[in-house]
Amino acid sequence: MTTVNPHPTPPSVPHGTRALGEPPFLAPGDQIDWHYRKPGWLRGEPSTITPMRVVRDDERGLVAWLAPGTEQEGQGAADGQRVRSVPLERRWLEPRRRIVEEWVGNGILRIAPAGKPWSVWLFWSGVRGDDWTLAEWYVNLENAHLRTDRETFTSDHVLDVEIGRDGQIVMEDEDELVAAVEQGRLDADQAAEIEAHAAAAIASFTAGDWPFDPEWIAWRPDSAWTVPVLDGLEDLRVP
């Protein structure tokens, strides 16, 4: 198997972090806060922080559930709108601010395999009781996670891979990767490495690796779980 660099962009993490797959581990139902920070992130700068419920946390990596209605800290444009509202030609040039945003839609199961520069997200459609239809696997290319006991940290790498339930593969946000290089968010060597990681993730899907195991398609959240709450959100709300 091709060796991949787990951190094609410099990690922006607190002191004392460890890799996924290293104990101590959290129990199912525990809260873990999933952070996305830009390379070179400084304290107080915007990031995305999503509170989630642990499904599985062990030597293979982290599996966590993003429940419908979850409120997270997000990265907003200067006017408070979501970053994707900024035209692509200015998306990595415009200043950002910290905002509160709600996850709208069905929940997402996120699987971050230890040491891999991507996470696999399962999206479902037509959710009615226990009758769920898998819509797609979404491979989010990112740094391999480094974590503390109750937080995990990574940096998003812009390019993504959509894999339909029929196995059809579509590259997503290739234009954004080009723009990220043009606007200085990434350099050309990093972009080339990220493109290679997309190919490695597709090979992982083809091999039927752990994050793509059918057990996750059949998985359902514990009905007793409440929607987790992220500390500090009240300070970000606009009066």
Side-chain angles (χ1 to χ4, degrees), residues 5-49:
N5 176 10
H7 301 115
T9 59
S12 297
V13 298
H15 292 295
T17 56
R18 63 184 185 275
L20 291 185
E22 296 180 7
F25 299 117
L26 293 173
D30 284 347
Q31 179 172 332
I32 190 163
D33 297 338
W34 185 303
H35 294 243
Y36 282 104
R37 293 176 169 179
K38 71 175 185 179
W41 179 91
L42 298 174
R43 183 181 297 275
E45 289 188 316
S47 59
T48 300
I49 313 172

Side-chain angles (χ1 to χ4, degrees), residues 9 27 37 44 49 56 62-63 65 67-68 75 89 91 102 119 158 161 183 203 206 208 210 224 235-236:
T9 59
R37 293 176 169 179
I49 313 172
R56 185 179 296 175
L62 173 68
V63 184
W65 171 243
Q75 303 176 52
E89 61 268 20
R91 191 161 298 166
E102 179 180 337
S119 61
V158 183
V161 183
Q183 295 169 34
T206 302
W210 173 67
D235 296 336
L236 298 180

Side-chain angles (χ1 to χ4, degrees), residues 116-232:
K116 299 298 184 185
W118 59 75
S119 61
V120 178
W121 301 7
L122 276 72
F123 286 82
W124 286 272
S125 61
V127 173
R128 297 178 182 85
D130 286 335
D131 184 14
W132 295 17
T133 299
L134 179 71
E136 66 177 7
W137 294 272
Y138 188 91
V139 181
N140 200 73
L141 299 171
E142 59 197 33
N143 271 349
H145 286 236
L146 298 171
R147 54 91 59 90
T148 60
D149 286 348
R150 294 190 176 273
E151 296 177 291
T152 186
F153 300 85
T154 184
S155 295
D156 185 75
H157 290 158
V158 183
L159 186 66
D160 302 301
V161 183
E162 291 184 352
I163 305 174
R165 55 184 298 192
D166 59 358
Q168 182 175 355
I169 297 171
V170 177
M171 300 301 297
E172 179 75 11
D173 298 332
E174 291 176 295
D175 58 338
E176 292 192 21
L177 184 64
V178 172
V181 173
E182 293 174 346
Q183 295 169 34
R185 170 67 167 76
L186 300 166
D187 64 36
D189 289 341
Q190 290 169 332
E193 194 165 22
I194 290 164
E195 290 174 330
H197 290 170
I202 292 169
S204 177
F205 168 76
T206 302
D209 287 341
W210 173 67
F212 301 100
D213 192 283
E215 73 168 302
W216 300 119
I217 300 174
W219 177 87
R220 302 291 181 266
D222 189 325
S223 60
W225 287 352
T226 58
V227 176
V229 177
L230 183 67
D231 288 340

Side-chain angles (χ1 to χ4, degrees), residues 36-87:
Y36 282 104
R37 293 176 169 179
K38 71 175 185 179
W41 179 91
L42 298 174
R43 183 181 297 275
E45 289 188 316
S47 59
T48 300
I49 313 172
T50 308
M52 304 175 70
R53 292 289 176 205
V54 171
V55 175
R56 185 179 296 175
D57 185 19
D58 58 25
E59 68 281 353
R60 289 167 294 185
L62 173 68
V63 184
W65 171 243
L66 170 55
T70 298
E71 288 191 319
Q72 65 180 11
E73 178 174 329
Q75 303 176 52
D79 62 1
Q81 299 299 308
R82 296 189 180 196
V83 167
R84 295 191 73 86
S85 69
V86 178

